[in-house]
Amino acid sequence: MTSSHRERLASPARLPIFAPVTALSFAAYARTVAPGVCGTDTGELILAAWTGGVAHPPGFPLYVLSGWLVSHGLPLGSVALRLNLFSAACMAAGAGLLARLIRATLATGDAADASELSPQALDLVAIGAGLAFSFSLVPWSWATVSEVYALNVVLMSAMLLCGFRAPAAAPAGDRHAVAVAVLCGAGVANHLLLTLVVGGAIGLWWLLSWRRLAGRPWREIGLRLARLGAVATFTAAILYGALPLLARSGSPVNWGNPITLERLWWHISGKQYQVYLLADGWGGLRSAFAYAASLLPRALPIPGVLLAVCGIHWRLRRGGAAGRAQLAAFAAMAAVDFLLAMLYEIQFDRSAYYLPLVSFAAICYAWGITWVVGGAARLGRHGRILALLLAAVVVPAMLVVTGWRGNDRSAYRVHEMFARDALAVLPEGGLLLTGEWELYSPLLYLQRVEGLRPDATVIDILLWQNRPWYLDQQRAAHPALLTGAEREADRFLETLRAFERGEVSPGDRTIAHRYSRLWRAMLGDLRRRSVPVRVTGDVLGHLASFGVDAQREAAPVGVLIDPWPAPSANRAAELLRVREVAWSAPLARPWPDDDPVEHVRAHYARMAVANALYANGLRHAAAPPGSSRPAELEAAARAFARDALALAPETAWPPALQPLLAPPGR
């Protein structure tokens, strides 16, 4: 290869790269974006962004501040739609920047010598790889909902692009290196762990390039990294310093109430919310490996995987010192990211932890196209062009075709309807107790942003059990809630605060004893005052584990349970009405790649069985004069039984349900 050809390969891109990748990605994302609130943390994050509050640890101040600007500055549709579109824009821009990074790696010194493709052909490779990333399962699924991960992708891609552009011989004040430090600090204020994974990869690249390629002494390298680390720390500190201000904003979402330095550190470090790694032992790791084995093949089709493997081989054999150093840095990022995803225990957003790994796969995919097509000299010029178009276009097209249905959330109303169904069976001025985050999070949005049912009080029992600040906030917002249990609440809060300070061990029985007494006093007082209470099924088991029996009289009411139902002369009509007006979640359409939706489906299926068996039991029980006719009760029971079968056809339901699934008269 001549020196002039090497210069052309290493020169800036001849074709636009960022714009077409970003535009095509955003077009697909905007067409499939969710119109409203979705599952997991979306309801809480939208509320925090809209009201300027403090989200769950570590607070995500960058997302909250950015989301506040977008939600208040973009007069388009609902608040949820605005922030969903914000995610789409961020993910699309992240894919465009990743394509720019890929083009830069293809023009690296020795790697350019190994390529027989023209600069324009390499531009097409980068565009194809960027689109393969944006249309793969993991990025697409997080580009259509309000979450922090899309913003993290654009920061991650910008960090990698600037980091690998920072020349080895430049001083510590090089603009690319400083940009990486600022972006790293901002990323830490958005998602700490994923940012540190990417930052570590860039740090490894700098170490290899500054030491091995440029021969810089260790002392100089250490000083340069220390100065850049100080810039990153300062940027993160500025953003996290906004949390105490947000905590005093009066927002209804104020996790941890971080108004002091101690509480701020607790919130950033996740002191109260730490997940013990390997808490589930080897069983948890086996489950994580099984999840990865099912996810990763869907994230990149077989041709893409084969090309990625070829790309790694090419980089090792013909990439030269700089190419192998890049591969080492990217591979380290992917390996650490994979380990982090293995240890992360929350299933509903575990796939987001594979985003750096999917980025690495897209980079290797581009390398593989370059090697396979560029090395196929026997194809001739026109044959290489055809092979290049096939490799760069077919895989993204396959991803669009196979992934459109699973990622199309344009009609996604599952969690919103779940929340509306719950509120529909909650009487006016009622109290809803739940441990279902997939219900509580969308209710936060619907009640506090959309203004739906402001009369209802909704309590998350798991936060109630473990977080003193949550009890304080609910007590201030709903003074009548603890009218008859003030003393028990004070004593429980005293013990809980001592536990928070580390003065009481987790196994201390005093906590459980006072927690049990609080519930007994609170529920007894609510029942005496005839306050309507509804619960989700998990609450009954939670209370029973602390010796509080609320199951004896409980009866299902749609998606909720009435712990002490009032006598009714027309229970069948009520059950049929519930099925008509409070059983509307659109769960018939399959969402195979959405774990939160599957969780909601399972909840509806369990409640369908409970309603069916309850109606059937009423049909066989002795009924007073004027009560529901057996035929109406049978119709209600059969309707719910059919729903259970439709929602979970492969589940082994109780034998008592089988007669209700048979044709009438058998």
Side-chain angles (χ1 to χ4, degrees), residues 154-522:
V154 72
L155 294 171
M156 174 186 73
S157 298
M159 284 174 60
L160 290 172
L161 179 60
C162 293
F164 284 88
R165 277 185 168 182
D174 173 71
R175 60 188 178 91
H176 291 107
V178 174
V180 169
V182 173
L183 290 167
C184 185
V188 165
N190 185 66
H191 195 289
L192 191 150
L193 292 177
L194 292 182
T195 302
L196 293 181
V197 169
V198 176
I202 296 173
L204 177 60
W205 162 248
W206 284 349
L207 283 175
L208 292 174
S209 60
W210 290 345
R211 179 63 180 175
R212 297 186 59 183
L213 303 181
R216 298 290 178 179
W218 286 112
R219 177 180 174 82
E220 179 184 338
I221 293 175
L223 289 174
R224 295 173 73 177
L225 291 177
R227 286 193 287 267
L228 293 171
V231 173
T233 303
F234 177 76
T235 304
I238 291 294
L239 290 169
Y240 275 113
L243 289 183
L245 300 177
L246 296 174
R248 291 182 171 89
S249 66
S251 168
V253 55
N254 181 19
W255 278 71
N257 193 27
I259 58 175
T260 66
L261 284 177
E262 181 183 44
R263 299 197 67 83
L264 178 62
W265 172 246
W266 286 358
H267 196 66
I268 296 173
S269 63
K271 177 181 182 292
Q272 299 178 74
Y273 320 97
Q274 289 172 355
V275 176
Y276 292 96
L277 301 183
L278 301 179
D280 294 333
W282 292 109
L285 274 182
R286 284 195 297 270
S287 174
F289 273 109
Y291 179 82
S294 66
L295 175 71
L296 295 180
R298 291 177 291 156
L300 198 65
I302 296 300
V305 173
L306 295 176
L307 285 169
V309 172
C310 291
I312 294 174
H313 172 78
W314 172 59
R315 212 62 172 180
L316 285 172
R317 292 288 301 273
R318 302 180 63 184
R324 285 190 290 271
Q326 284 183 353
L327 175 61
F330 286 129
M333 176 186 73
V336 174
D337 177 58
F338 182 77
L339 178 62
L340 179 63
M342 289 292 101
L343 299 178
Y344 186 71
E345 293 186 341
I346 300 177
Q347 178 183 354
F348 292 162
D349 59 349
R350 179 185 286 173
S351 65
Y353 281 71
Y354 288 97
L355 282 166
L357 180 59
V358 176
S359 302
F360 173 65
I363 294 170
C364 295
Y365 165 72
W367 293 346
I369 296 175
T370 305
W371 179 55
V372 171
V373 178
R378 65 180 181 276
L379 296 176
R381 182 169 179 264
H382 296 292
R384 284 203 300 268
I385 293 175
L386 178 61
L388 173 65
L389 291 175
L390 289 175
V393 175
V394 168
V395 169
M398 288 176 58
L399 289 168
V400 171
V401 171
T402 59
W404 187 277
R405 185 178 182 183
N407 289 306
D408 184 6
R409 287 180 169 82
S410 58
Y412 191 114
R413 296 283 186 182
V414 174
H415 284 81
E416 178 181 338
M417 299 313 299
F418 185 24
R420 290 181 181 274
D421 286 348
L423 291 177
V425 295
L426 182 65
E428 185 176 355
L431 169 65
L432 170 57
L433 302 175
T434 182
E436 289 278 3
W437 185 250
E438 298 304 313
L439 174 60
Y440 186 71
S441 179
L443 279 173
L444 285 174
Y445 169 76
L446 290 174
Q447 282 195 289
R448 305 298 184 127
V449 179
E450 298 290 342
L452 182 66
R453 288 292 305 274
D455 64 284
T457 301
V458 184
I459 299 295
D460 186 308
I461 61 168
L462 299 181
L463 294 177
W464 185 271
Q465 174 190 1
N466 298 297
R467 313 293 181 240
W469 54 265
Y470 185 74
L471 266 74
D472 289 333
Q473 291 174 11
Q474 296 303 319
R475 204 173 186 178
H478 311 288
L481 190 62
L482 294 170
T483 298
E486 292 285 353
R487 185 177 65 176
E488 287 78 7
D490 289 337
R491 298 188 68 188
F492 175 63
L493 273 171
E494 177 187 355
T495 309
L496 198 58
R497 289 193 177 100
F499 168 73
E500 188 179 50
R501 294 190 300 267
E503 299 171 3
V504 176
S505 65
D508 194 313
R509 299 184 63 181
T510 304
I511 300 178
H513 176 69
R514 293 186 174 180
Y515 184 65
S516 174
R517 287 180 62 86
L518 171 60
W519 275 117
R520 291 178 188 275
M522 178 178 164

Side-chain angles (χ1 to χ4, degrees), residues 127-185:
I127 293 172
L131 293 175
F133 169 82
S134 61
F135 295 142
S136 61
L137 172 64
V138 178
W140 199 344
S141 65
W142 292 107
T144 55
V145 299
S146 301
E147 261 286 1
V148 301
Y149 301 111
L151 179 57
N152 214 70
V153 166
V154 72
L155 294 171
M156 174 186 73
S157 298
M159 284 174 60
L160 290 172
L161 179 60
C162 293
F164 284 88
R165 277 185 168 182
D174 173 71
R175 60 188 178 91
H176 291 107
V178 174
V180 169
V182 173
L183 290 167
C184 185

